[in-house]
Structure formats: C-alpha cells, structure tokens
Coordinates of all heavy atoms in Angstrom, one line a residue:
F1 N 3.2 41.9 2.0 CA 2.6 41.7 3.3 C 3.6 41.9 4.4 O 4.7 41.3 4.2 CB 2.0 40.3 3.4 CG 0.9 40.1 2.5 CD1 1.0 39.7 1.2 CD2 -0.4 40.3 3.0 CE1 -0.1 39.5 0.3 CE2 -1.5 40.1 2.2 CZ -1.4 39.7 0.9
S2 N 3.3 42.6 5.4 CA 4.2 42.8 6.5 C 4.1 41.7 7.5 O 4.9 41.5 8.4 CB 3.9 44.1 7.2 OG 2.6 44.1 7.7
E3 N 3.0 41.0 7.5 CA 2.8 39.9 8.5 C 3.2 38.6 7.8 O 2.8 38.2 6.7 CB 1.3 39.8 8.9 CG 1.0 39.2 10.2 CD -0.4 39.4 10.5 OE1 -1.0 40.5 10.4 OE2 -1.0 38.3 10.9
K4 N 4.0 37.8 8.6 CA 4.4 36.5 8.0 C 3.6 35.4 8.7 O 3.3 35.5 9.9 CB 5.9 36.2 8.3 CG 6.7 37.3 7.5 CD 8.1 36.9 7.5 CE 8.9 38.0 7.0 NZ 9.7 37.8 5.9
V5 N 3.2 34.3 8.0 CA 2.5 33.2 8.5 C 3.4 32.0 8.5 O 3.9 31.6 7.5 CB 1.2 33.0 7.6 CG1 0.4 31.8 8.2 CG2 0.4 34.2 7.6
A6 N 3.6 31.5 9.6 CA 4.4 30.3 9.7 C 3.5 29.0 9.6 O 2.3 29.0 10.0 CB 5.0 30.2 11.1
F7 N 4.0 28.1 8.9 CA 3.3 26.8 8.8 C 4.3 25.7 8.9 O 5.5 25.8 8.6 CB 2.5 26.7 7.4 CG 3.4 26.6 6.2 CD1 3.7 25.4 5.7 CD2 3.9 27.7 5.6 CE1 4.5 25.2 4.6 CE2 4.6 27.7 4.5 CZ 5.0 26.4 4.0
E8 N 3.8 24.6 9.4 CA 4.7 23.4 9.6 C 4.6 22.5 8.3 O 3.5 22.4 7.8 CB 4.2 22.6 10.8 CG 4.5 23.3 12.1 CD 4.2 22.5 13.3 OE1 4.4 21.3 13.2 OE2 3.9 23.0 14.3
L9 N 5.7 21.9 8.0 CA 5.8 21.0 6.9 C 5.1 19.7 7.4 O 5.2 19.4 8.5 CB 7.2 20.7 6.5 CG 7.9 21.9 5.8 CD1 9.4 21.6 5.6 CD2 7.2 22.3 4.5
P10 N 4.4 19.0 6.4 CA 3.8 17.7 6.8 C 4.8 16.7 7.1 O 6.0 16.7 6.7 CB 3.0 17.4 5.5 CG 3.8 18.0 4.4 CD 4.4 19.3 5.0
S11 N 4.3 15.7 7.8 CA 5.3 14.6 8.2 C 5.6 13.7 7.0 O 4.8 13.8 5.9 CB 4.6 13.7 9.2 OG 3.5 13.0 8.7
Q12 N 6.6 13.0 6.9 CA 6.9 12.1 5.8 C 5.8 11.1 5.6 O 5.5 10.8 4.4 CB 8.3 11.4 6.0 CG 9.4 12.4 5.8 CD 10.7 11.7 5.6 OE1 11.0 10.6 6.2 NE2 11.6 12.3 4.8
D13 N 5.1 10.7 6.6 CA 4.0 9.7 6.5 C 2.8 10.5 5.7 O 2.2 9.8 4.9 CB 3.4 9.3 7.8 CG 4.3 8.2 8.4 OD1 5.2 7.6 7.7 OD2 4.2 8.0 9.7
A14 N 2.6 11.8 6.0 CA 1.6 12.5 5.3 C 1.9 12.6 3.8 O 1.1 12.5 2.9 CB 1.3 13.8 5.9
V15 N 3.2 12.9 3.6 CA 3.7 13.1 2.2 C 3.6 11.8 1.5 O 3.1 11.7 0.3 CB 5.1 13.7 2.1 CG1 5.7 13.6 0.7 CG2 5.2 15.0 2.7
L16 N 3.9 10.7 2.1 CA 3.9 9.4 1.6 C 2.4 9.0 1.2 O 2.1 8.6 0.0 CB 4.4 8.3 2.5 CG 4.3 6.9 2.1 CD1 5.3 6.6 1.0 CD2 4.6 5.9 3.3
G17 N 1.5 9.3 2.1 CA 0.1 9.0 1.8 C -0.5 9.8 0.6 O -1.2 9.3 -0.3
H18 N -0.1 11.1 0.6 CA -0.6 12.0 -0.4 C 0.0 11.5 -1.8 O -0.8 11.5 -2.8 CB -0.2 13.4 -0.1 CG -0.6 14.4 -1.2 ND1 -2.0 14.8 -1.3 CD2 0.0 14.9 -2.3 CE1 -2.1 15.6 -2.3 NE2 -1.0 15.7 -2.9
L19 N 1.3 11.3 -1.9 CA 1.9 10.9 -3.1 C 1.4 9.5 -3.6 O 1.2 9.2 -4.8 CB 3.4 10.8 -3.0 CG 4.1 12.2 -2.9 CD1 5.6 12.0 -2.9 CD2 3.7 13.1 -4.1
A20 N 1.1 8.6 -2.6 CA 0.5 7.4 -3.0 C -0.8 7.5 -3.7 O -1.1 6.9 -4.8 CB 0.3 6.4 -1.8
S21 N -1.7 8.4 -3.2 CA -3.0 8.7 -3.8 C -2.8 9.4 -5.1 O -3.5 9.1 -6.1 CB -3.8 9.6 -2.9 OG -4.1 9.0 -1.7
W22 N -1.9 10.4 -5.2 CA -1.6 11.1 -6.4 C -1.1 10.2 -7.5 O -1.7 10.3 -8.6 CB -0.5 12.2 -6.0 CG -0.2 13.2 -7.2 CD1 -0.8 14.4 -7.3 CD2 0.6 13.1 -8.3 NE1 -0.4 15.0 -8.4 CE2 0.6 14.2 -9.0 CE3 1.5 12.1 -8.8 CZ2 1.3 14.5 -10.2 CZ3 2.2 12.3 -9.9 CH2 2.2 13.4 -10.6
M23 N -0.2 9.3 -7.2 CA 0.3 8.3 -8.2 C -0.8 7.3 -8.6 O -0.8 7.0 -9.8 CB 1.6 7.7 -7.7 CG 2.7 8.7 -7.5 SD 4.2 8.0 -6.8 CE 4.7 7.0 -8.2
R24 N -1.5 6.8 -7.7 CA -2.6 5.9 -8.0 C -3.6 6.5 -8.9 O -4.0 5.9 -9.9 CB -3.2 5.4 -6.7 CG -4.1 4.2 -6.8 CD -4.6 3.6 -5.5 NE -4.9 4.6 -4.4 CZ -4.1 4.8 -3.4 NH1 -2.9 4.2 -3.2 NH2 -4.4 5.7 -2.5
A25 N -4.0 7.8 -8.6 CA -4.9 8.4 -9.5 C -4.4 8.6 -11.0 O -5.2 8.7 -11.9 CB -5.3 9.8 -8.9
R26 N -3.1 8.7 -11.1 CA -2.5 8.9 -12.4 C -2.0 7.7 -13.0 O -1.3 7.7 -14.1 CB -1.5 10.0 -12.4 CG -2.1 11.4 -12.1 CD -1.2 12.4 -11.5 NE -1.8 13.7 -11.2 CZ -2.7 13.8 -10.2 NH1 -2.9 12.9 -9.3 NH2 -3.2 15.1 -9.9
N27 N -2.1 6.6 -12.3 CA -1.6 5.3 -12.8 C -0.1 5.3 -13.0 O 0.4 4.8 -14.0 CB -2.4 4.8 -14.0 CG -2.3 3.3 -14.2 OD1 -2.0 2.6 -13.3 ND2 -2.4 2.8 -15.4
V28 N 0.6 5.9 -12.1 CA 2.1 6.0 -12.2 C 2.7 4.9 -11.5 O 2.4 4.5 -10.4 CB 2.6 7.4 -11.5 CG1 4.1 7.4 -11.5 CG2 2.0 8.6 -12.2
A29 N 3.7 4.2 -12.2 CA 4.3 3.0 -11.7 C 5.8 3.3 -11.4 O 6.4 4.1 -12.1 CB 4.3 1.9 -12.7
L30 N 6.3 2.9 -10.3 CA 7.8 3.0 -9.9 C 8.4 1.7 -10.4 O 7.9 0.6 -10.3 CB 7.9 3.1 -8.5 CG 7.3 4.4 -7.8 CD1 7.5 4.3 -6.3 CD2 8.1 5.6 -8.4
E31 N 9.7 1.8 -10.7 CA 10.6 0.7 -11.0 C 10.5 -0.3 -9.8 O 10.4 0.1 -8.6 CB 11.9 0.9 -11.5 CG 12.8 1.5 -10.4 CD 14.2 1.8 -10.9 OE1 14.7 1.2 -11.9 OE2 14.9 2.8 -10.3
A32 N 10.7 -1.6 -10.0 CA 10.5 -2.6 -9.0 C 11.5 -2.4 -7.8 O 11.2 -2.6 -6.6 CB 10.8 -3.9 -9.5
S33 N 12.7 -1.8 -8.1 CA 13.8 -1.7 -7.0 C 13.6 -0.3 -6.3 O 14.4 0.0 -5.5 CB 15.1 -1.9 -7.6 OG 15.3 -0.8 -8.5
F34 N 12.5 0.4 -6.6 CA 12.4 1.8 -6.1 C 11.0 1.9 -5.4 O 10.0 2.0 -6.1 CB 12.6 2.8 -7.2 CG 12.7 4.3 -6.7 CD1 13.4 4.6 -5.6 CD2 12.0 5.2 -7.5 CE1 13.4 6.0 -5.3 CE2 12.0 6.5 -7.1 CZ 12.7 6.9 -6.0
E35 N 11.0 2.0 -4.1 CA 9.7 2.1 -3.5 C 9.3 3.6 -3.2 O 10.2 4.4 -3.1 CB 9.7 1.3 -2.2 CG 9.9 -0.2 -2.3 CD 9.9 -0.9 -1.1 OE1 9.7 -0.3 0.0 OE2 10.0 -2.2 -1.1
L36 N 8.0 3.8 -3.0 CA 7.6 5.2 -2.8 C 8.2 5.7 -1.5 O 8.6 6.9 -1.4 CB 6.1 5.2 -2.7 CG 5.4 6.6 -2.5 CD1 5.9 7.5 -3.7 CD2 3.9 6.5 -2.6
A37 N 8.4 4.9 -0.5 CA 9.1 5.4 0.8 C 10.4 5.9 0.5 O 10.9 6.8 1.1 CB 9.0 4.2 1.8
G38 N 11.1 5.3 -0.4 CA 12.5 5.7 -0.8 C 12.4 7.1 -1.5 O 13.3 7.8 -1.2
L39 N 11.5 7.3 -2.3 CA 11.3 8.6 -2.9 C 11.0 9.7 -1.9 O 11.6 10.7 -1.9 CB 10.1 8.6 -3.9 CG 9.7 9.9 -4.6 CD1 10.9 10.6 -5.2 CD2 8.5 9.7 -5.5
V40 N 10.2 9.4 -0.9 CA 9.9 10.3 0.2 C 11.1 10.6 1.0 O 11.3 11.7 1.4 CB 8.7 9.8 1.0 CG1 8.5 10.7 2.2 CG2 7.4 9.8 0.2
E41 N 11.9 9.6 1.2 CA 13.1 9.8 1.9 C 14.1 10.7 1.2 O 14.7 11.6 1.7 CB 13.8 8.4 2.2 CG 15.0 8.5 3.1 CD 15.5 7.2 3.5 OE1 14.7 6.2 3.8 OE2 16.7 7.0 3.4
L42 N 14.1 10.6 -0.2 CA 15.0 11.4 -1.0 C 14.5 12.8 -0.9 O 15.3 13.8 -0.9 CB 14.9 11.0 -2.4 CG 15.7 9.7 -2.8 CD1 15.4 9.3 -4.3 CD2 17.2 9.8 -2.5
L43 N 13.2 13.0 -0.8 CA 12.6 14.4 -0.8 C 13.0 15.1 0.6 O 13.1 16.3 0.6 CB 11.1 14.4 -0.9 CG 10.6 14.0 -2.3 CD1 9.1 13.7 -2.3 CD2 10.9 15.1 -3.3
G44 N 13.0 14.3 1.6 CA 13.3 14.9 2.9 C 12.2 15.8 3.3 O 11.0 15.5 3.0
E45 N 12.3 16.7 4.2 CA 11.2 17.5 4.7 C 10.8 18.5 3.5 O 11.6 19.3 3.1 CB 11.6 18.3 5.9 CG 11.8 17.5 7.1 CD 12.0 18.3 8.4 OE1 11.9 19.6 8.4 OE2 12.2 17.7 9.5
T46 N 9.6 18.4 3.1 CA 9.2 19.2 2.0 C 7.6 19.4 2.1 O 7.0 18.6 2.7 CB 9.6 18.6 0.7 OG1 9.4 19.6 -0.4 CG2 8.8 17.3 0.4
S47 N 7.1 20.4 1.4 CA 5.8 20.6 1.4 C 5.1 19.6 0.3 O 5.8 19.0 -0.5 CB 5.4 22.0 0.9 OG 5.8 22.2 -0.4
I48 N 3.8 19.5 0.5 CA 3.0 18.7 -0.4 C 3.2 19.2 -1.8 O 3.3 18.4 -2.8 CB 1.5 18.5 -0.1 CG1 1.4 17.9 1.3 CG2 0.7 17.9 -1.2 CD1 1.6 16.4 1.3
A49 N 3.1 20.5 -2.0 CA 3.2 21.1 -3.4 C 4.6 20.8 -3.9 O 4.6 20.5 -5.2 CB 3.0 22.6 -3.2
D50 N 5.6 21.0 -3.2 CA 7.0 20.6 -3.8 C 7.1 19.1 -4.1 O 7.7 18.8 -5.1 CB 8.1 21.1 -2.7 CG 8.3 22.6 -2.8 OD1 7.8 23.3 -3.7 OD2 9.0 23.1 -1.9
A51 N 6.6 18.3 -3.2 CA 6.6 16.9 -3.5 C 5.9 16.5 -4.8 O 6.4 15.7 -5.6 CB 6.0 16.1 -2.3
E52 N 4.7 17.1 -5.0 CA 4.0 16.9 -6.2 C 4.7 17.4 -7.5 O 4.8 16.8 -8.5 CB 2.6 17.6 -6.2 CG 1.5 16.8 -5.5 CD 0.1 17.5 -5.7 OE1 0.0 18.3 -6.5 OE2 -0.7 17.1 -4.9
A53 N 5.4 18.5 -7.3 CA 6.1 19.1 -8.3 C 7.3 18.2 -8.8 O 7.6 18.0 -10.0 CB 6.6 20.5 -8.0
V54 N 7.9 17.6 -7.8 CA 9.1 16.7 -8.0 C 8.5 15.5 -8.7 O 9.2 15.1 -9.8 CB 9.8 16.4 -6.8 CG1 10.7 15.2 -7.0 CG2 10.6 17.6 -6.2
V55 N 7.4 14.9 -8.3 CA 6.9 13.6 -8.9 C 6.4 14.0 -10.3 O 6.7 13.2 -11.2 CB 5.9 13.0 -8.0 CG1 5.3 11.8 -8.7 CG2 6.4 12.6 -6.7
Q56 N 5.8 15.1 -10.5 CA 5.4 15.4 -11.9 C 6.6 15.6 -12.8 O 6.6 15.1 -13.9 CB 4.5 16.7 -11.9 CG 4.0 17.1 -13.2 CD 3.0 16.1 -13.8 OE1 2.0 15.8 -13.2 NE2 3.3 15.5 -14.9
A57 N 7.6 16.3 -12.3 CA 8.8 16.4 -13.1 C 9.5 15.1 -13.4 O 9.9 14.8 -14.6 CB 9.8 17.4 -12.5
A58 N 9.5 14.2 -12.4 CA 10.0 12.8 -12.7 C 9.3 12.1 -13.7 O 9.8 11.4 -14.5 CB 10.1 12.1 -11.3
L59 N 7.9 12.2 -13.5 CA 7.1 11.6 -14.6 C 7.3 12.1 -15.9 O 7.3 11.3 -16.9 CB 5.5 11.7 -14.2 CG 4.5 11.1 -15.0 CD1 4.7 9.6 -15.2 CD2 3.1 11.4 -14.4
N60 N 7.4 13.4 -16.1 CA 7.8 14.0 -17.4 C 9.1 13.4 -18.0 O 9.2 13.2 -19.2 CB 7.8 15.5 -17.3 CG 6.5 16.2 -17.0 OD1 5.4 15.5 -17.0 ND2 6.5 17.4 -16.5
I61 N 10.1 13.3 -17.1 CA 11.3 12.7 -17.5 C 11.1 11.3 -18.0 O 11.6 10.9 -19.1 CB 12.4 12.8 -16.4 CG1 12.7 14.3 -16.1 CG2 13.6 12.0 -16.7 CD1 13.5 14.5 -14.8
A62 N 10.4 10.5 -17.3 CA 10.1 9.1 -17.6 C 9.4 9.0 -18.9 O 9.6 8.2 -19.8 CB 9.3 8.4 -16.5
I63 N 8.4 9.9 -19.1 CA 7.6 9.9 -20.4 C 8.5 10.2 -21.5 O 8.4 9.7 -22.6 CB 6.4 10.9 -20.3 CG1 5.4 10.3 -19.3 CG2 5.8 11.2 -21.6 CD1 4.3 11.4 -18.9
G64 N 9.4 11.2 -21.3 CA 10.3 11.6 -22.3 C 11.2 10.5 -22.9 O 11.7 10.6 -24.0
R65 N 11.5 9.5 -22.1 CA 12.3 8.4 -22.6 C 11.5 7.6 -23.7 O 12.2 6.9 -24.5 CB 12.6 7.4 -21.4 CG 13.8 7.7 -20.7 CD 14.3 6.6 -19.8 NE 13.2 6.0 -19.0 CZ 12.9 6.5 -17.8 NH1 13.4 7.6 -17.3 NH2 11.9 5.9 -17.1
G66 N 10.2 7.7 -23.7 CA 9.5 7.0 -24.7 C 9.2 5.5 -24.5 O 8.8 4.8 -25.5
D67 N 9.6 5.0 -23.4 CA 9.3 3.6 -23.1 C 7.8 3.4 -22.8 O 7.2 4.2 -22.2 CB 10.2 3.1 -21.9 CG 11.7 3.2 -22.2 OD1 12.0 3.2 -23.4 OD2 12.4 3.3 -21.2
T68 N 7.4 2.2 -23.1 CA 6.0 1.8 -22.8 C 6.1 0.4 -22.1 O 6.7 -0.5 -22.6 CB 5.2 1.7 -24.0 OG1 5.1 2.9 -24.7 CG2 3.7 1.3 -23.7
P69 N 5.5 0.3 -20.9 CA 4.8 1.2 -20.1 C 5.8 2.3 -19.5 O 7.0 2.0 -19.4 CB 4.1 0.5 -19.1 CG 5.0 -0.7 -18.8 CD 5.6 -1.0 -20.1
V70 N 5.3 3.4 -19.1 CA 6.1 4.5 -18.4 C 6.4 4.0 -17.0 O 5.4 3.7 -16.3 CB 5.4 5.8 -18.4 CG1 6.1 6.8 -17.7 CG2 5.2 6.3 -19.9
V71 N 7.6 4.0 -16.6 CA 8.0 3.6 -15.3 C 9.0 4.6 -14.7 O 10.0 4.9 -15.4 CB 8.7 2.1 -15.3 CG1 9.1 1.8 -13.9 CG2 7.7 1.1 -15.8
L72 N 8.6 5.1 -13.6 CA 9.4 6.1 -13.0 C 10.6 5.5 -12.2 O 10.4 4.6 -11.4 CB 8.5 6.9 -12.0 CG 9.0 8.3 -11.5 CD1 7.8 9.2 -11.2 CD2 9.9 8.1 -10.3
T73 N 11.8 5.9 -12.4 CA 13.0 5.3 -11.8 C 13.5 6.2 -10.7 O 13.3 7.4 -10.6 CB 14.1 5.0 -12.8 OG1 14.6 6.3 -13.4 CG2 13.6 4.2 -14.0
R74 N 14.4 5.7 -9.9 CA 15.1 6.4 -8.9 C 15.9 7.6 -9.6 O 16.0 8.7 -9.1 CB 16.1 5.5 -8.1 CG 16.7 6.2 -7.0 CD 17.6 5.2 -6.1 NE 18.0 5.7 -4.8 CZ 19.0 6.6 -4.6 NH1 19.7 6.9 -5.7 NH2 19.3 7.0 -3.5
H75 N 16.6 7.2 -10.7 CA 17.3 8.3 -11.4 C 16.4 9.4 -11.9 O 16.7 10.5 -11.8 CB 18.0 7.7 -12.6 CG 18.9 8.6 -13.4 ND1 18.4 9.3 -14.5 CD2 20.1 9.0 -13.2 CE1 19.4 10.1 -14.9 NE2 20.4 10.0 -14.1
D76 N 15.2 9.1 -12.3 CA 14.2 10.2 -12.7 C 13.9 11.0 -11.5 O 13.9 12.3 -11.6 CB 12.8 9.5 -13.2 CG 13.0 8.7 -14.4 OD1 13.9 8.9 -15.2 OD2 12.2 7.7 -14.5
A77 N 13.7 10.4 -10.3 CA 13.4 11.2 -9.1 C 14.5 12.1 -8.7 O 14.4 13.2 -8.4 CB 13.1 10.2 -8.0
L78 N 15.8 11.6 -8.8 CA 17.0 12.3 -8.4 C 17.1 13.6 -9.3 O 17.4 14.6 -8.9 CB 18.3 11.5 -8.5 CG 18.3 10.5 -7.3 CD1 19.5 9.5 -7.5 CD2 18.4 11.1 -5.9
H79 N 17.0 13.3 -10.7 CA 17.0 14.4 -11.6 C 15.9 15.4 -11.4 O 16.2 16.6 -11.4 CB 16.9 13.8 -13.0 CG 17.2 14.8 -14.1 ND1 16.9 14.4 -15.5 CD2 17.5 16.0 -14.2 CE1 17.2 15.4 -16.3 NE2 17.6 16.4 -15.4
A80 N 14.7 15.0 -11.1 CA 13.6 15.9 -10.8 C 13.8 16.7 -9.6 O 13.5 17.9 -9.5 CB 12.3 15.1 -10.8
I81 N 14.4 16.1 -8.5 CA 14.7 16.8 -7.3 C 15.7 17.9 -7.6 O 15.5 19.0 -7.1 CB 15.2 15.9 -6.2 CG1 14.1 14.9 -5.7 CG2 15.8 16.6 -5.1 CD1 14.5 13.8 -4.9
Q82 N 16.7 17.7 -8.4 CA 17.6 18.7 -8.7 C 17.0 19.8 -9.6 O 17.3 20.9 -9.3 CB 18.8 18.0 -9.6 CG 20.0 18.9 -9.7 CD 20.7 19.2 -8.4 OE1 20.6 18.4 -7.4 NE2 21.3 20.3 -8.3
L83 N 16.1 19.5 -10.5 CA 15.5 20.4 -11.3 C 14.5 21.3 -10.5 O 14.5 22.6 -10.7 CB 14.6 19.8 -12.4 CG 15.4 19.2 -13.5 CD1 14.5 18.3 -14.5 CD2 16.2 20.2 -14.4
V84 N 13.7 20.7 -9.7 CA 12.6 21.4 -8.9 C 13.2 22.1 -7.7 O 12.8 23.3 -7.4 CB 11.4 20.5 -8.6 CG1 10.4 21.1 -7.7 CG2 10.9 19.9 -9.9
L85 N 14.0 21.4 -6.9 CA 14.3 22.0 -5.6 C 15.7 22.5 -5.6 O 16.1 23.2 -4.6 CB 14.2 20.8 -4.6 CG 12.9 20.1 -4.4 CD1 12.9 19.1 -3.3 CD2 11.8 21.2 -4.0
G86 N 16.5 22.2 -6.7 CA 17.8 22.8 -6.8 C 18.9 22.0 -6.1 O 18.8 21.2 -5.4

C-alpha cells in the first residue's frame, strides 16, 4: 500500500481497562505484590493487541511452571515483554 494510515495508541487507562476485562474473562490472577496498573506501566505506550500478546505470553509462562492455582508474576510479565516486544 502506498498510503499510510496513522493511528494513535490508546491511553494507559484504556489499556488497563481492556486488560482488566481480558483477565477477568479468563480468570487470570496476579501475584499479590503485582497490580495490573504495574503491568500496564511496564508495557508503556503500546497497542491493545501488543498488550494482549504480552499478557497471553506471561500467562503461558505461568502455566508452564505447573503451579496450581496459576498466578501471573511480575517476572512472568517482564519475561513476556522481552519475548513479545523485544
């Protein structure tokens, strides 16, 4: 395509709201010392799609530990950010 379409990234509040809904729908729990706002802060300015991809990767990492119940940690999120966003 020769025409480029510019779009603005969502606000951190919008990403926070979306991820809260996404995680609630999937019954994803964060470790007690790690709040969703902290995760959004780690993500910085990002698209909803990238934010979802990071949280899904973090969830996959948490599931891979084999602990029950599955709890997503700050370390999982940092690892997922590196994997997904580089």
Side-chain angles (χ1 to χ4, degrees):
F1 291 86
S2 61
E3 205 171 310
K4 297 195 188 236
V5 177
F7 68 94
E8 291 186 30
L9 293 173
S11 68
Q12 285 195 327
D13 284 342
V15 173
L16 179 70
H18 181 80
L19 290 181
S21 296
W22 189 94
M23 293 175 72
R24 192 171 36 256
R26 290 158 183 79
N27 201 25
V28 176
L30 295 175
E31 69 180 333
S33 63
F34 187 46
E35 296 183 0
L36 186 55
L39 172 57
V40 172
E41 188 174 314
L42 289 174
L43 289 169
E45 290 188 6
T46 192
S47 68
I48 295 289
D50 283 346
E52 277 189 17
V54 167
V55 175
Q56 183 64 62
L59 181 57
N60 293 346
I61 292 165
I63 290 168
R65 276 196 306 277
D67 296 338
T68 304
V70 174
V71 177
L72 197 150
T73 67
R74 185 175 194 278
H75 184 266
D76 298 333
L78 289 170
H79 188 187
I81 288 168
Q82 194 64 28
L83 288 172
V84 175
L85 302 178

